[in-house]
């Protein structure tokens, strides 16, 4: 059976991706998924093939098809993604929050800011 893939699509280069726990998770022996990163400024085909609106966006692929997406980092992203990486499926109860919307209230969204940004299209 083909292993699932979790792709972290972000801007700013692979070394600038703001997800150090992603690298740590990719090295753990109990992961059942391949974890990889793509800088969408360089690998713009990723945004052509998949709708990537926020940086970072996590695409969960099975059999070459996107089966789930997490847009931007939220308080639950690491736990959600860790479940995917170790179980190969969506978390049964954890729901991903909607992404940060910088235009929602003119003040940077409910949390007053954040590093997640829309990807230019």
């Amino acid at each position: 059976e083909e292993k699932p893939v979790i792709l972290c699509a972000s801007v700013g280069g692979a070394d600038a991706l703001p997800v150090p726990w992603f690298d740590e998770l990719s090295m753990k022996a109990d992961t059942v998924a391949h974890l990889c990163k793509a800088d969408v400024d360089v690998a713009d085909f990723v945004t052509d093939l998949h709708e990537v609106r926020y940086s970072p966006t996590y695409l969960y692929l099975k059999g070459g098809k996107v089966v789930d997406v997490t847009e931007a980092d939220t308080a639950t992203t690491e736990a959600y993604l860790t479940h995917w990486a170790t179980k190969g499926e969506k978390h049964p109860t954890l729901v991903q929050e909607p992404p940060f919307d910088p235009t929602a209230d003119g003040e940077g969204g409910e949390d007053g800011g954040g590093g997640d940004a829309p990807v230019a299209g």
Side-chain angles (χ1 to χ4, degrees):
E1 183 177 318
E2 205 175 301
K3 287 178 81 170
V5 174
I6 302 172
L7 173 64
C8 174
S10 190
V11 295
D15 295 332
L17 295 175
V19 284
W21 53 264
F22 189 88
D23 293 327
E24 293 168 13
L25 182 60
S26 70
M27 300 301 216
K28 290 189 176 182
D30 63 343
T31 59
V32 298
H34 293 292
L35 281 73
C36 51
K37 298 183 203 176
D39 177 353
V40 296
D41 288 336
V42 176
D44 56 356
F45 67 89
V46 173
T47 57
D48 292 341
L49 295 172
H50 308 289
E51 188 172 338
V52 176
R53 301 182 309 164
Y54 290 88
S55 177
T57 292
Y58 303 93
L59 302 167
Y60 307 89
L61 299 101
K62 280 189 168 183
K65 295 181 182 174
V66 175
V67 295
D68 197 8
V69 176
T70 299
E71 293 182 315
D73 277 326
T74 68
T76 57
T77 299
E78 184 175 354
Y80 191 82
L81 195 139
T82 298
H83 182 86
W84 251 111
T86 57
K87 306 292 185 200
E89 62 189 21
K90 283 184 176 186
H91 193 284
T93 58
L94 194 60
V95 177
Q96 288 293 272
E97 301 168 8
F100 165 74
D101 183 355
T103 62
D105 62 8
E107 298 292 326
E110 285 182 21
D111 65 0
D116 303 316
V119 173

